[in-house]
Amino acid sequence: MQFPVRAITLDLDDTIWPIAPAIVRAEQALGDWLHRHAPRTAARWPLEARQQLRQQVDRDRPELAHDMTAQRHWMLERMFEQSGDDVALAQPAYDAYFAARCEVEHYGDSLDALQRLAARVPLAALSNGNACLRTIGLMHLFRFQLGAREHGAAKPDAGIFHAACRQLDCHPSQVLHVGDDTRTDVLGAHRAGLRTCWINRPDESGTVRRWPHTEIRPDLEFPTLAALADWLDAVHPQESLSA
């Protein structure tokens, strides 16, 4: 399939790096911090209890659904308050968690593919998560990063896609959105008028997911970002597509 591509918006978690190892690392860092600085809270809130509290956030504070930073702060404040510790510890505890959350391990193809893509068209990060590209060290490859927290609504809301297109000074039909999530990335971007690319990475056994929807299909489907960069080179061989 061929169509014009003047810019690319990219999801982050499970598109450029796997999110699960980063969350495991972050929870471990938080647990270690609590044991050192707030042992009463650490004893009352082991990992399983923190996971249950995370589910409570979804039930009790739906207005925070788009803001993972606020969700985590709410959790930490409840934890310290109910344990009899100083609620002011929530910020340094969050800092410990977030530093580890940004220690991501990229998929093997990601860095080279991002460099190839960024050399061809402007890239923008468009994520429901709260990873920081500056902390991770990738911001130099992106024009900007727009998160659900900053925008005020999460994908698949059309507004966040349109806001990114405005910053890129492109019509939505000229922008390709790339992501792993069938609903928030592909369906959301399609309904907002963008072109779509589903990154469908095989699992550890080599199995790939089947496309679950019948009414809409992605414009492109690749197992890696490297395959997307190959497609861009083959279909649009000119030196730059952003002019």
Side-chain angles (χ1 to χ4, degrees), residues 178-217:
V178 181
D180 71 291
D181 193 281
T182 63
R183 184 181 70 90
T184 60
D185 288 311
V186 179
L187 296 188
H190 174 87
R191 289 167 178 161
L194 285 71
R195 294 287 189 167
T196 59
C197 175
W198 183 34
I199 299 299
N200 185 15
R201 294 183 182 274
D203 64 19
E204 293 181 357
S205 68
T207 303
V208 296
R209 294 170 290 167
R210 292 185 177 183
W211 180 251
H213 306 284
T214 57
E215 73 279 17
I216 294 172
R217 292 197 61 85

Side-chain angles (χ1 to χ4, degrees), residues 25-39 42 50 96:
R25 187 179 300 109
E27 289 289 2
Q28 181 62 55
L30 175 59
D32 292 344
W33 190 96
L34 292 173
H35 279 290
R36 292 194 304 271
H37 300 284
R50 298 200 304 270

